[in-house]
Amino acid sequence: MTAEVAVLGAGMHPWGKWGRGFVEYGVAAARAALADAGVDWRDVGSIVGADTVRGGYPGYVAGATFAKALGWQGARVASVYAACASGAQAINTARTQILAGMADVVLVVGADAAPKGFFRPAGGDRPDDPDWLRFRVLGATNPAYFGLYARRRMAVHGDTLEDFAQVKVKNAAAGALNANARYRKTVTAEEVAASAVVADPLRLLDICATSDGAAALVLSSMEFARRHGAADPVRIRAVSTVTPTYPTTVLDLPDIATDSAAVVAPADGTFRASIARAAYEEAGIGPEDISLAEVYDLSTALELQWYEDLELCGEGEGAKLLRDGVTAPGGRVPVNTSGGLASFGEAVPAQAIAQVCEVTWQLQGTAGARQIEGARVGVTANQGLFGHGSSVVAVR
C-alpha cells in the first residue's frame, strides 16, 4: 500500500457537441474543480494535462496549454498521453508528485473536441503502429471491434441481445439524472432493439458516441487537506497503470497477433483482469469491499466484460449479475451511476478523470438523485490502446 492523496475538488464541462476548442472546455472544468476545492489557482503547485493526439502536437502540449489559459503563475507542468487511459495516468503523475513532495496541490485536467463518427488513426503509413494496422489490415473500426467482442460473449457465455440492451437501459436511466451527460433521456429495451444495426450484433444504442467534454480534479497531500479544513476528504488509495504480461494469449484489438506460449507459461488471467487486480492489491482491498464502480462501457457488451474483470462475479456470469439487479442503483455494486459512456460519449483525455469525479461525488454524498446510499469505496476501470490499463480506487 502507498500513502493516500486527497481529492479536494472535482469539476466538469458538460459533454456534447459544442463546436468549440478543447482548451475552453478544460478551463471550465478546471475552474469548477478549483471552486469546488476552495483553492486559488495561484496555490496550485503543478498542473498535469491529459493529451489528445489530433490536430498537430499532442493536445497542443496540454499541461502548458491549460496553465497558460488559466494564467501563467509558475506552476510545474506535465503532459500525459495513454489513449483512453490518459486521464488515469495524469492522476497517477499528480499523485506521484504529491507523494514525492514536489507539490502540495496539483490540478489534473483532460479535455477533448472529438471528431464526428468513430475515431481513426492519424494519416500516413505506419506499419509498426497496431492501431494503423488494424484499420488497414483488418478494416476493424471501433464499432467492428465492439461487435466482435459482443459476438464472442454470445458464443462463449450465452449472452443475448436482450442482455446488452438492458445495460443501455440501466445507464440511460442514470444519465437522465446527470446534468453533465450528453444524452439525458431514458430508453427501453425495445428502443435499443429497434435502433439501426451498426456492427452486428450491436445496434446504434449499444455503442457510445464521440463527444466534446472535460473533467478536472484538484488533488493534494493529506497534510495540505487538513490545513485547508478538509478533515475527511475523499482519498485516492491506489492507481493501477499496468501493461500486459508476456505472452498474451487472448487476442484483444488493436493487437492482431500474439506472442508464442511455447516456452513461457501464460499469465494467470487476462490483461484486463490484471488492471483491477493491481489496484486492489495496492489499496489492500478486494472486490467484496467495493461500493460502486465506474467502468469503460464503449459498448454494452464491454460493460458486462468489466464485471468479470473487476471480479464482481465469475467468468461468464456478467449477464446474470445484470439480470439480478446487482449492478443497478440499489444493488450490491452499482455500476456506472454517472450514466457511463452510454450517456456521455467519448472525450478521450477526460474519460478516466470523469470516472473519478463521479466516484468522488458519490463518496462525498453529493451526487444528488444518482446518490448511492452508504458509498465508502469506489473503483474505476478503463483500457487504452497499446497496452494501457487504468484503475483508480478511492475511499472515504
Side-chain angles (χ1 to χ4, degrees):
M1 293 177 61
T2 60
E4 298 172 335
V5 299
V7 183
L8 292 186
M12 296 178 68
H13 182 288
W15 259 236
K17 284 290 187 181
W18 306 112
R20 298 190 289 275
F22 79 94
V23 180
E24 182 176 340
Y25 307 141
V27 168
R31 287 175 175 159
L34 289 166
D36 186 45
V39 170
D40 189 276
W41 161 236
R42 290 168 293 188
D43 294 327
V44 173
S46 179
I47 179 169
V48 183
D51 282 356
T52 176
V53 295
R54 290 179 299 282
Y57 291 108
Y60 309 162
V61 192
T65 299
F66 293 128
K68 178 182 179 182
L70 290 162
W72 293 128
Q73 46 87 312
R76 295 175 180 269
V77 295
S79 299
V80 175
Y81 179 71
C84 297
S86 296
Q89 292 214 10
I91 291 169
N92 195 47
T93 298
R95 179 181 71 148
T96 301
Q97 291 180 347
I98 292 167
L99 296 180
M102 297 171 65
D104 279 333
V105 182
V106 182
L107 174 65
V108 181
V109 187
D112 203 1
K116 293 182 178 180
F118 54 78
F119 292 113
R120 57 190 182 277
D125 292 337
R126 298 184 312 283
D128 57 348
D129 176 350
D131 197 34
W132 181 88
L133 282 171
R134 58 124 169 178
F135 275 77
R136 286 293 184 91
V137 177
L138 297 181
T141 63
N142 283 0
Y145 163 38
F146 306 153
L148 288 168
Y149 222 114
R151 184 60 68 188
R152 181 181 186 276
R153 286 199 61 86
M154 295 175 77
V156 175
H157 301 310
D159 292 3
T160 67
L161 296 180
E162 291 74 21
D163 293 327
F164 300 154
Q166 286 303 324
V167 175
K168 174 65 175 182
V169 171
K170 173 182 70 70
N171 291 350
L177 303 174
N178 193 333
N180 288 309
R182 176 179 179 180
Y183 301 106
R184 300 188 60 197
K185 180 183 177 182
T186 60
V187 301
T188 65
E190 291 74 21
E191 287 173 320
V192 177
S195 62
V197 174
V198 175
D200 188 62
L202 298 180
R203 273 61 180 166
L204 182 64
L205 293 184
D206 282 303
I207 297 173
C208 75
T210 61
S211 291
D212 299 355
L217 295 165
V218 176
L219 307 182
S220 81
S221 65
M222 295 303 298
E223 292 76 14
F224 180 92
R226 284 190 285 270
R227 295 198 307 269
H228 190 63
D232 184 29
V234 172
R235 292 144 8 240
I236 291 179
R237 182 169 286 178
V239 183
S240 165
T241 58
V242 298
T243 55
T245 300
Y246 174 84
T248 302
T249 59
V250 177
L251 293 178
D252 194 3
L253 291 175
D255 298 321
I256 57 174
T258 186
D259 302 307
S260 171
V263 177
V264 180
D268 181 19
T270 65
F271 167 50
R272 286 166 56 101
S274 74
I275 296 170
R277 192 172 300 133
Y280 290 153
E281 181 177 352
E282 183 181 328
I285 64 169
E288 67 278 2
D289 299 309
I290 299 301
S291 304
L292 74 150
E294 284 288 305
V295 306
Y296 198 42
D297 60 318
L298 292 164
S299 78
T300 51
L302 284 170
E303 175 166 325
L304 297 179
Q305 184 65 45
W306 279 116
Y307 297 172
E308 298 163 23
D309 295 330
L310 286 172
E311 300 179 31
L312 303 180
C313 62
E315 183 179 355
E317 297 176 355
K320 182 179 186 301
L321 207 69
L322 175 77
R323 295 182 206 124
D324 291 345
V326 174
T327 60
R332 177 171 57 83
V333 189
V335 175
N336 282 341
T337 59
S338 66
L341 295 181
S343 299
F344 277 75
E346 285 196 89
V348 171
Q351 289 158 188
I353 301 172
Q355 289 181 323
V356 178
C357 286
E358 176 66 16
V359 168
T360 297
W361 292 323
Q362 289 287 349
L363 298 183
Q364 289 174 337
T366 59
R370 305 188 313 281
Q371 184 63 49
I372 301 303
E373 184 177 354
R376 304 298 295 175
V377 181
V379 65
T380 70
N382 182 297
Q383 181 182 0
L385 296 178
F386 320 119
H388 289 126
S390 82
S391 179
V392 178
V393 174
V395 301
R396 191 175 189 187

